[in-house]
Amino acid sequence: MLDDYLRPTECVDSDNPAVTAFAEQVTRGISGDRECAVAIYYAVRDSFRYDPYRVDLTPFGMRASTVLRREYGFCIPKAALLAAAARVKGIPSRLGFADVKNHLATEKLRRLMKTDLFVFHGYTELFLEGQWVKATPAFNRSLCERFDVEPLPFDGWEDSLLQQFNRRGDRYMEYVRDRGIDAGVPLDAIVAAFHEHYPGLMSESGYDVSGDFEREGRTRS
């Protein structure tokens, strides 16, 4: 069963040379699955900017290797990168999905989405010390500082889920629906949910489902 969470998928492309190199680089000199997972988590969290305004809902746009190429991503491809790099190191990994409410979403994002509900928020589950542990690498440290939120820590023992409150005690993120787990990225379900919940958003210039962000999105398998 765990073998399903060690194999590459279309978007969790752990067999991509760039993903392999990234995983080996950030774990150099580190031994032990838990220690490697923690090192990968922090590298993914802080080395790649969270960007909810440039969402490319194509296989190319959602791949772990594309985060490395672009140096930014939103929650799902960043979670895919954490999962892919973990698989490189022999750590079983899978993606979890949930709908969350962002009570402190920016006015720009509220206008764009016309809601504070984020469907199919993505995080990663890692199999460590005989149990599945949740890790959420979406929000990089500099973004958290800007919104006065503690960056999410991860120690490989305890679940690391989105912050419920900011440093002032204001309500921040609220989980409202569990959408299950997957060895890869269920892209068809995600695109369908985006069309259902954000019909106006899908035609905005900042979002793309056709692959027009980069030529590779149309030509690479």
Side-chain angles (χ1 to χ4, degrees):
M1 184 67 173
L2 288 179
D3 288 347
D4 292 341
Y5 303 118
L6 286 168
R7 288 190 283 266
T9 70
E10 183 173 35
C11 293
V12 186
D13 52 344
S14 51
D15 56 344
N16 182 282
V19 175
T20 300
F22 170 75
E24 297 297 347
Q25 176 187 356
V26 301
T27 61
R28 185 173 294 123
I30 300 173
S31 60
D33 286 354
R34 187 174 65 84
E35 292 78 8
C36 284
V38 170
I40 295 168
Y41 169 81
Y42 282 104
V44 173
R45 190 194 76 178
D46 291 333
S47 300
F48 305 96
R49 188 177 72 260
Y50 173 77
D51 191 336
Y53 299 106
R54 290 186 287 179
V55 173
D56 180 354
L57 297 177
T58 66
F60 175 79
M62 300 289 267
R63 286 183 187 134
S65 57
T66 301
V67 179
L68 295 173
R69 179 188 183 94
R70 292 176 171 169
E71 299 184 344
Y72 68 84
F74 74 116
C75 58
I76 298 174
K78 287 191 70 172
L81 177 57
L82 173 54
R87 291 180 193 182
V88 170
K89 301 301 295 183
I91 302 169
S93 63
R94 61 195 187 188
L95 273 66
F97 300 94
D99 295 353
V100 299
K101 280 196 171 186
N102 183 348
H103 294 276
L104 297 178
T106 64
E107 184 59 32
K108 177 181 178 182
L109 200 55
R110 285 178 185 270
R111 286 199 309 269
L112 185 65
M113 299 177 65
K114 296 181 174 57
T115 179
D116 61 358
L117 180 69
F118 289 67
V119 298
F120 269 96
H121 158 70
Y123 57 91
T124 312
E125 292 192 357
L126 304 165
F127 193 73
L128 300 168
E129 307 291 339
Q131 64 179 351
W132 288 102
V133 185
K134 296 178 176 64
T136 308
F139 299 155
N140 50 290
R141 174 176 289 276
S142 60
L143 179 73
C144 289
E145 293 296 334
R146 183 147 53 92
F147 284 90
D148 200 22
V149 175
E150 286 292 337
L152 274 180
F154 179 65
D155 61 7
W157 296 107
E158 302 290 334
D159 289 341
S160 179
L161 294 172
L162 289 174
Q163 304 92 325
Q164 295 185 59
F165 303 95
N166 67 5
R167 287 170 174 155
R168 298 187 301 274
D170 301 319
R171 192 67 180 269
Y172 184 34
M173 305 298 291
E174 177 186 2
Y175 287 82
V176 297
R177 178 182 176 183
D178 182 2
R179 287 190 179 263
I181 57 172
D182 202 296
V185 175
L187 193 53
D188 288 346
I190 292 169
V191 170
F194 271 52
H195 276 290
E196 176 186 354
H197 289 274
Y198 318 124
L201 177 73
M202 300 303 285
S203 62
E204 294 287 342
S205 60
Y207 281 66
D208 184 87
V209 294
S210 66
D212 288 337
F213 271 82
E214 297 186 33
R215 182 173 301 276
E216 294 92 335
R218 296 191 297 272
T219 61
R220 182 176 174 181
S221 63

